[in-house]
Amino acid sequence: MAVWTRACKAGLLELLLRERWVRVAAELSGEALSLTAEPGSCEAAVVNGVVNGNPEAAPGCVRRVRVVKAEAGGLGISIKGGRENRMPVLISRIFPGLAAERSGALRLGDAILAVNGVDLRDATHDQAVQALKRAGREVILEVKFMREVTPYIKKPSLVSDLPWEGAAPQSPSLSGSEDSGSPQHQGPRDRKVIPLKMCFAARNLSMPDLENRLIELHSPDSRNTLILRCKDTATAHSWFMALHANITALLPQVLAELNAMLGTSSPVAGGREVKHIAWLAEQARLDGGRQQWRPVLMAVTEKDLLLYDGMPWTRDAWASPCHSYPLVATRLVHSGSGLRSPALGSELTFATRTGSRQGVEMHVFRVETHRDLSSWTRILVQGCHAAAELIKEVTVGCTLSGQEVLLCIHYECGFTICREEPGGSILFRYPYERLKMSADDGIRTLYLDFGGPEGELALDLHSCPKPIVFVLHTFLSAKVTRMGLLA
């Protein structure tokens, strides 16, 4: 693996937190990204009458919002204020995953004017709570965003509001009663440290970035995503490349830990050393022919190509990949620039095809840099050839002219067809150079023509012939490369 220099970087960025852009001081070290909230950064941003990008949530605009509760779980909000506090009834908290958040139409700082037609403009806190409890499954809220009361609303905290597996909080979360009418203040600076080991830095993956200013950082378990916004395209590129370099520089340490965990004699590892592991994006097809990219972790061992949804830190997780493909039956079919990408000018993609009993399985992957593309191209091509030399021989039972036979393809010696019974006599034996033609019907038959008096051999493999066809291709490709005929 190439040696990477780790970058150190610091500057002001914006973090998307609870649907708000929060100014943070970012500091990048060799192994972590530290984010510290800037003073006053968590107030709702109003630009040209638009609050947090939502024109309907502008101050003074009364909105009618329909929220439908799930069978389990309530409305999913906390309120504060009321007549006794000389304040309107305000939404002070929106709980993730519940009905209010799913509606996408409510904001912290919204004053609740009415619930299902019941006027709350002059209601006490208790009256508002009871009105919300009596509202039933379908709730119609009349709300108005009030910027002047936002100092009384609990502000986003990097510690409590930024979910990230393994991130170490650096300050206590904000304290204070949710129903208190007084403002809440931060004590220590609100800070969070994100370990970079096996994170995935990407652009234009889960969130559109028409201005080319966003950076996505996905957690190792792929459950959480952090969105950073830079002041311009050049700054975003600089930060992204620094993050990407530091994550890549940690890969040798990850490989050493993985191989130590699995052990060369481990039955889980099958004695197969992990050669490379890294995040990339896989193309997924949605209903209606639409396509999108999703994060996927790819690992290459001595014999297999493995795909995971999250980093397999344990033996059990390692033994349960989403997909497992033998390298000897896999080939790289495309590597280079793909479709246009708003962030990078063109998407850097490669594709693999694997012969399986179900036919040919194809995957299209996207990488973030040209260096990544070169690295994966080399790793896959060399990995397939090394697997061919390691495996040496593949044997499959089949039927030839009504009799059961074994077809053996040897990396060095070529083709042997013999009767299936123990000590069965050899019917045909040919080196690779005698092969004139090979073909298959994609269903169960493999055709081989060695130019001999027997003519074309039609071998019924009893299942899809693609695995053996791909193995043959890999053996031939590896031999040609070894002879120096192919760079």
Side-chain angles (χ1 to χ4, degrees):
M1 180 176 291
V3 176
W4 285 75
T5 302
R6 300 188 189 186
C8 292
K9 199 170 179 64
L12 288 177
L13 303 175
E14 290 179 299
L15 169 69
L16 186 61
L17 187 62
R18 281 167 56 182
E19 300 186 9
R20 303 184 188 187
W21 287 108
V22 177
R23 289 190 304 275
V24 295
E27 184 177 350
L28 178 65
S29 66
E31 296 187 355
L33 174 67
S34 300
L35 301 174
T36 304
E38 286 290 288
S41 66
C42 297
E43 294 184 10
V46 180
V47 181
N48 296 328
V50 175
V51 179
N52 293 331
N54 185 357
E56 293 185 354
C61 178
V62 177
R63 291 136 44 218
R64 186 178 173 86
V65 177
R66 176 177 177 266
V67 181
V68 179
K69 301 178 188 177
E71 294 296 333
L75 190 59
I77 63 172
S78 284
I79 61 171
K80 63 171 49 176
R83 186 177 63 204
E84 69 271 32
N85 294 309
R86 298 181 182 178
M87 293 171 60
V89 176
L90 301 171
I91 296 178
S92 60
R93 190 173 180 187
I94 299 176
F95 293 90
L98 295 182
E101 186 203 39
R102 290 198 305 271
S103 76
L106 296 173
R107 299 287 184 272
L108 298 183
D110 276 343
I112 302 178
L113 308 179
V115 179
N116 286 355
V118 178
D119 195 314
L120 297 184
R121 287 175 175 85
D122 196 39
T124 65
H125 182 274
D126 215 38
Q127 288 170 340
V129 169
Q130 295 305 315
L132 288 169
K133 286 183 177 179
R134 292 193 301 265
R137 186 163 181 264
E138 182 175 319
V139 185
I140 305 298
L141 300 173
E142 288 184 24
V143 297
K144 179 173 70 173
F145 180 74
M146 303 185 69
R147 176 170 172 75
E148 60 270 24
V149 301
T150 53
Y152 295 87
I153 303 299
K154 182 178 179 180
K155 298 176 181 179
S157 162
L158 291 175
V159 173
S160 62
D161 294 339
L162 181 61
W164 194 272
E165 190 68 28
Q170 300 297 308
S171 71
S173 59
L174 301 180
S175 60
S177 169
E178 191 63 34
D179 296 326
S180 169
S182 60
Q184 297 175 359
H185 302 283
Q186 287 178 294
R189 298 192 74 186
D190 190 17
R191 185 168 181 259
K192 198 152 202 174
V193 178
I194 307 294
L196 294 178
K197 185 189 292 184
M198 289 315 297
C199 288
F200 179 31
R203 303 193 66 187
N204 266 288
L205 188 59
S206 62
M207 187 172 181
D209 182 17
L210 299 179
E211 295 181 335
N212 300 340
R213 295 199 291 149
L214 302 184
I215 298 170
E216 302 178 20
L217 192 64
H218 299 258
S219 63
D221 60 7
S222 75
R223 294 177 183 174
N224 304 117
T225 302
L226 181 153
I227 307 292
L228 296 169
R229 185 168 69 180
C230 303
K231 64 179 182 179
D232 53 38
T233 300
T235 304
H237 178 74
S238 175
W239 269 98
F240 171 78
M241 294 304 294
L243 278 166
H244 182 273
N246 288 11
I247 292 170
T248 304
L250 292 169
L251 290 181
Q253 178 185 340
V254 173
L255 284 174
E257 292 172 358
L258 262 181
N259 285 310
M261 174 192 70
L262 297 173
T264 55
S265 60
S266 165
V268 175
R272 300 172 186 180
E273 181 185 358
V274 184
K275 297 293 187 180
H276 190 64
I277 188 167
W279 284 97
L280 28 68
E282 181 186 8
Q283 190 178 77
R285 294 188 178 275
L286 306 178
D287 294 338
R290 294 180 298 117
Q291 298 176 352
Q292 73 174 25
W293 297 100
R294 66 176 188 89
V296 65
L297 186 70
M298 180 185 289
V300 176
T301 70
E302 291 178 318
K303 293 183 179 180
D304 297 306
L305 185 154
L306 308 170
L307 299 179
Y308 296 88
D309 284 335
M311 179 62 196
W313 292 117
T314 66
R315 287 190 178 190
D316 288 343
W318 179 263
S320 305
C322 302
H323 298 283
S324 176
Y325 300 113
L327 283 172
V328 75
T330 300
R331 70 178 73 160
L332 182 75
V333 293
H334 162 77
S335 177
S337 297
L339 301 176
R340 181 179 61 83
S341 164
L344 303 177
S346 63
E347 289 174 344
L348 302 174
T349 63
F350 66 89
T352 62
R353 286 163 60 91
T354 302
S356 71
R357 292 185 178 274
Q358 289 72 43
V360 178
E361 296 188 38
M362 182 170 178
H363 293 266
V364 179
F365 302 99
R366 192 193 87 184
V367 297
E368 299 299 318
T369 69
H370 286 276
R371 188 167 184 174
D372 288 344
L373 184 63
S374 298
S375 176
W376 277 113
T377 300
R378 182 182 67 255
I379 288 165
L380 289 173
V381 171
Q382 293 179 353
C384 292
H385 293 170
E389 295 188 10
L390 186 66
I391 293 171
K392 290 289 186 186
E393 182 181 73
V394 172
T395 301
V396 61
C398 52
T399 301
L400 174 64
S401 301
Q403 62 178 324
E404 298 301 314
V405 299
L406 294 176
L407 168 64
C408 173
I409 304 179
H410 193 279
Y411 176 67
E412 301 288 354
C413 304
F415 303 83
T416 301
I417 300 175
C418 62
R419 290 189 172 86
E420 192 171 10
E421 66 267 13
S425 58
I426 294 175
L427 301 176
F428 304 102
R429 175 175 284 166
Y430 289 108
Y432 287 101
E433 54 265 28
R434 287 290 301 276
L435 182 64
K436 305 298 181 184
M437 183 277 295
S438 66
D440 69 273
D441 64 358
I443 301 174
R444 58 186 295 162
T445 305
L446 174 68
Y447 302 96
L448 299 174
D449 188 350
F450 298 99
E454 69 280 356
E456 181 181 82
L457 301 176
L459 298 160
D460 183 351
L461 301 183
H462 311 303
S463 63
C464 182
K466 291 302 181 184
I468 203 72
V469 170
F470 275 64
V471 168
L472 174 57
H473 176 275
T474 301
F475 279 6
L476 289 170
S477 175
K479 288 175 70 68
V480 168
T481 302
R482 187 179 66 176
M483 293 168 61
L485 300 177
L486 184 66

